[in-house]
Amino acid sequence: MNVVALAGGVGGAKLASGLSRAVDAEQLTVIVNTADDFTLYGLQISPDLDTVMYTLAGLANPDTGWGMHGDTWQAIDMLKNYGMEPWFHLGDRDLATHLLRTQWIDEGIPLSVVTRQLARRLKVTSTILPMSDDPVHTLVDSDRGPLPFQEYFVRYQWQPVVQALVFEGASEAEPAPTMLRRLETADTIVICPSNPYLSIDPILSLRGVHDVLLNATAPIIAVSPIVGGEAVKGPAAKLMKELGIEASAVEVARHYAEFLNGFVLDSRDAALRPQIEAMGMGVLVTNTIMQSLDDRARLACEVISFADQLRPEKLGGCKLDA
Ligand code: GDP
């Protein structure tokens, strides 16, 4: 069973790692947002790709969700000795990833190939596909003026009030090689509980993606990142309010409604089920909070079984149920 997941960083990576256990890991493709990518100290940094890669490799820091488990901060400390004020967290081991990525990109190797090479060396057998080999940059229009994404997110800790989001370069960027075909031929498509506006929309904004999703034969399931009117982590709910959208799982379902077949709603929001069903999609109500590795696998398993219920010909459900 070929599963394609759309993901940003921490929320996306957690479900992706569950999916890599619920089906054969080789049958999972994770299409990852790269509109958060940026250059710092001359290094090409792809935070969401790295979060997904470290998570699937079992190397992620379980406390933060990003960065590497057991990493140290000597390079950052040395930058401070030089009088710099480093606001982006670059662990020493993590730096090696950025050094290699930057070298390979400078040699002319496309980001999708660089990512494949890095992931293979970390023994990740799922495919991690950056959404594009071309640069796309999220620009956050805010009450402090236009901010590059990482300044908004990390430097200012998502405190500026957002007025609009612009994905610079998205209309010229090509979707990564094989991405549209993988979506067309997928058996199940999962939109992870990533930030819909900051992590998933950049992927959806690429040429052809929207049409492929509208015409997909596979069931498309989204998992809500909004639980009880709040984001589990990060700015999703605050951002929704600032954009004039009610912070509710209902609005997340509405955001994706035109191509969704199923929506996974947290048990705490069970009362919202009829409103979402009225949009013409199936609803699965379950615990969507992923604290442990087992939580991730259990939720992924439920998503895979839910998708199977939504398709006319059954392909079999989650591997862990067998
Ligand atoms: P980022 O790029 O690191 O911010 O990561 P994502 O966009 O992939 O994920 C952020 C979203 O994940 C937030 O909106 C959170 O509410 C959501 N999220 C994080 N952990 C969980 C979880 O365990 N369950 C659910 N349902 N959502 C989660």
Side-chain angles (χ1 to χ4, degrees), residues 6-15 33 36 47-48 51-52 64-66 149 153 192-196 198-200 223-227 230-237 264 266 287-291 295-296 299:
L6 273 51
V10 175
K14 286 201 278 183
L15 187 60
N33 172 41
D36 300 3
D48 287 355
T51 297
V52 171
T64 54
W66 50 263
F149 177 77
F153 194 67
C192 290
S194 290
N195 189 311
L198 290 170
S199 296
I200 302 296
V223 180
S224 181
I226 299 288
V227 174
E230 300 290 341
V232 178
K233 188 169 181 284
V264 182
D266 194 84
N287 175 12
T288 70
I289 302 299
M290 295 170 280
Q291 269 156 354
D295 292 341
R296 297 172 185 181
L299 179 59

Side-chain angles (χ1 to χ4, degrees), residues 95-312:
L95 262 177
T97 308
H98 311 311
L99 290 171
L100 215 44
R101 176 186 294 116
T102 306
Q103 180 186 327
W104 286 340
I105 296 270
D106 286 349
E107 287 170 6
I109 305 175
L111 181 62
S112 52
V113 178
V114 169
T115 305
R116 190 163 70 223
Q117 291 181 354
L118 291 170
R120 272 197 192 149
R121 286 167 201 216
L122 295 183
K123 303 197 170 37
V124 174
T125 53
S126 301
T127 301
I128 303 174
L129 199 60
M131 67 182 201
S132 178
D133 284 333
D134 303 323
V136 179
H137 295 295
T138 300
L139 194 71
V140 181
D141 265 333
S142 77
D143 60 345
R144 298 192 204 174
L147 294 172
F149 177 77
Q150 294 299 345
E151 300 222 3
Y152 159 76
F153 194 67
V154 178
R155 185 174 207 163
Y156 299 120
Q157 302 281 303
W158 43 272
Q159 289 316 300
V161 176
V162 177
Q163 288 150 359
L165 297 168
V166 182
F167 307 127
E168 287 184 326
S171 51
E172 299 92 60
E174 290 289 335
T178 75
M179 173 170 147
L180 297 181
R181 188 170 49 76
R182 283 170 191 264
L183 286 166
E184 276 163 1
T185 58
D187 296 311
T188 301
I189 298 173
V190 180
I191 302 180
C192 290
S194 290
N195 189 311
Y197 308 92
L198 290 170
S199 296
I200 302 296
D201 276 359
I203 305 175
L204 302 182
S205 73
L206 294 174
R207 202 177 314 139
V209 175
H210 193 258
D211 284 351
V212 166
L213 291 178
L214 276 181
N215 296 317
T217 48
I220 307 182
I221 316 281
V223 180
S224 181
I226 299 288
V227 174
E230 300 290 341
V232 178
K233 188 169 181 284
K238 175 176 178 283
L239 179 70
M240 288 174 85
K241 290 177 208 153
E242 290 166 0
L243 295 176
I245 304 162
E246 189 193 347
S248 151
V250 173
E251 294 308 319
V252 176
R254 200 187 314 281
H255 189 70
Y256 300 132
E258 57 181 336
F259 43 72
L260 277 194
N261 304 97
F263 191 74
V264 182
L265 186 63
D266 194 84
S267 312
R268 269 172 270 181
D269 288 325
L272 302 177
R273 178 199 273 262
Q275 272 173 276
I276 299 173
E277 280 175 342
M279 292 179 213
M281 61 186 86
V283 175
L284 171 71
V285 177
T286 189
N287 175 12
T288 70
I289 302 299
M290 295 170 280
Q291 269 156 354
S292 66
L293 291 178
D294 284 348
D295 292 341
R296 297 172 185 181
R298 179 201 41 78
L299 179 59
C301 234
E302 291 184 55
V303 169
I304 293 296
S305 302
F306 181 39
D308 212 42
Q309 285 166 25
L310 295 172
R311 78 178 116 239

Side-chain angles (χ1 to χ4, degrees), residues 41-60:
Y41 309 116
L43 299 176
Q44 294 260 355
I45 302 180
S46 298
D48 287 355
L49 280 177
D50 289 343
T51 297
V52 171
M53 183 171 74
Y54 297 156
T55 304
L56 291 183
L59 296 174

